[in-house]
Amino acid sequence: MRIRPVPTSVRSALIRIRAVALIVVCALLLGGCAADRERTTGQIRLRFQSLAWQKESVDANEQLVREWNARHPNVQVDYVQGSWDSVHDQLLTSFEGGEAPDVIHDASDDLADFAYGGYLADLRELLPQRLRSDIPARSWETVTFGRGVYGVPFLQEPRVLIAQEQILRASGVRIPTPERPWSWDEFRAVCKDITAMLGEGRYAVAWPLKEPVSVTLNLGLSAGGRLFHRGPESTANSQNTENTEDANKVRVDFTTADGVVPRTIHDQVNEDGTASRSALGMGGSDALPGFFGGKYAMVPLGFSYRQQIVQQAPPGFPWTVLPMPVGAEGAVQGVSPQTLSIAEDSPYKREAMQFIDHMLQPSNMTRLARGDWMLPTGLAALADPSLRVRRYGWSVGTELARGLRSAPAQSVRGYPEWKDKVATPAYQEYYSGAIDLGELRERLVEDGNLVLARYQR
């Protein structure tokens, strides 16, 4: 019986199949050998992407990595420098390409899409009890999405008033303290007195609102503003949060409380003449030259701007740190803390959490806070005497820490689009006087809810 030869095409296909199978087997064997070698020869390597950028902060982060590596020869950490300017797109690309760092430095308001997208590890089973108890529940809320916890919040900053102390004292106004801050109404009256004393072309306050949305929403908490409401009925007096299909849907409702802060800023610019119109389009750093030059007596800025003032102010320039005005809810503000997360694809999640625990030991968290001129979230670090001194306003910041809350938009899906397409232009036009409060409310609510609805179908 004659045996028919196997066609050339079939032989080629079989050869390719065998080759692919051999490659797969070899890859598995080599991968297993590599993993075993890492486990047995101390070659586990974690990549930690840091967004520190100020020299003091970079130095603190790099030193903590060196200390870890010296004490853990079996688990070495490679320091990778990232950038706040491009972190979201860079992380998204690295997640989709399977090249994400093991330990990720970011901010809590950037985590929602990554958490819901399955790119970040749920840390609930990994967190040591020390971290759970040391960081307050209000801070953990900023990194909780659904039922999971997707980051460890470790640095935060309140917004404060940076003021020329001599001008305030010369005006005779009451100097506020964390225990007795100005109300929003008193702040408006104080600014009238200061501006009258300064004379034409000089102002009590400059509001650098190039990015107006987060500033407005976070300060609005003090007046009871929430803007975003969960539940099928999202009115100020009727919020249904029962466990229904609609219970977690978010809608925008602009209440009287939501109008307190924007109305104050608008009136200072357009009615009182106590706030500089030209400052509205500035970033925080842009307003500092005018502040140093005496054009503005006060500038609301993030707490970390104190470092720039120390570095850039003229010799002997007298400045002080004051609490922001407050509303009916008292000295509360929304914040989006800096965070450390772990990539879901990391094969070394437990080792990564051990490294995070090292970075956030109380003394180390204090070092990171001092390097960034911010406040630690951990209670033990916050109690460090070096953060309680009066110099540079540290003690004012630590007193304000108890009032820091999760930013109103923290877990709202669709918030970035709502902010860019609806809220930013609406607030900018309102603050400049181009539209009134009714038009602002209509655009934030009606146009805003159309945007949010696409993310909640």
Side-chain angles (χ1 to χ4, degrees), residues 390-413:
R390 293 183 61 185
R391 192 182 189 198
Y392 301 144
W394 279 107
S395 59
V396 174
T398 53
E399 287 299 314
L400 297 176
R402 67 171 67 94
L404 301 182
R405 301 288 185 268
S406 178
Q410 194 72 54
S411 60
V412 176
R413 303 199 72 176

Side-chain angles (χ1 to χ4, degrees), residues 194-206:
I194 293 174
T195 301
M197 184 195 74
L198 290 175
E200 187 175 356
R202 301 171 72 192
Y203 303 89
V205 64

Side-chain angles (χ1 to χ4, degrees), residues 115-174:
Y116 289 122
Y119 295 120
L120 298 177
D122 183 350
L123 305 182
R124 286 178 296 174
E125 299 300 319
L126 298 169
L127 283 167
Q129 183 57 39
R130 183 196 69 79
L131 277 177
R132 287 179 180 272
S133 58
D134 185 50
I135 297 174
R138 61 180 179 268
S139 294
W140 287 116
E141 290 175 4
T142 67
V143 292
T144 300
F145 303 97
R147 295 183 177 180
V149 174
Y150 295 94
V152 181
F154 71 105
L155 291 181
Q156 57 189 348
E157 62 173 330
R159 192 161 290 268
V160 293
L161 285 169
I162 306 295
Q164 289 202 43
E165 188 171 13
Q166 290 179 342
I167 292 178
L168 265 64
R169 295 197 180 280
S171 71
V173 302
R174 182 180 73 83

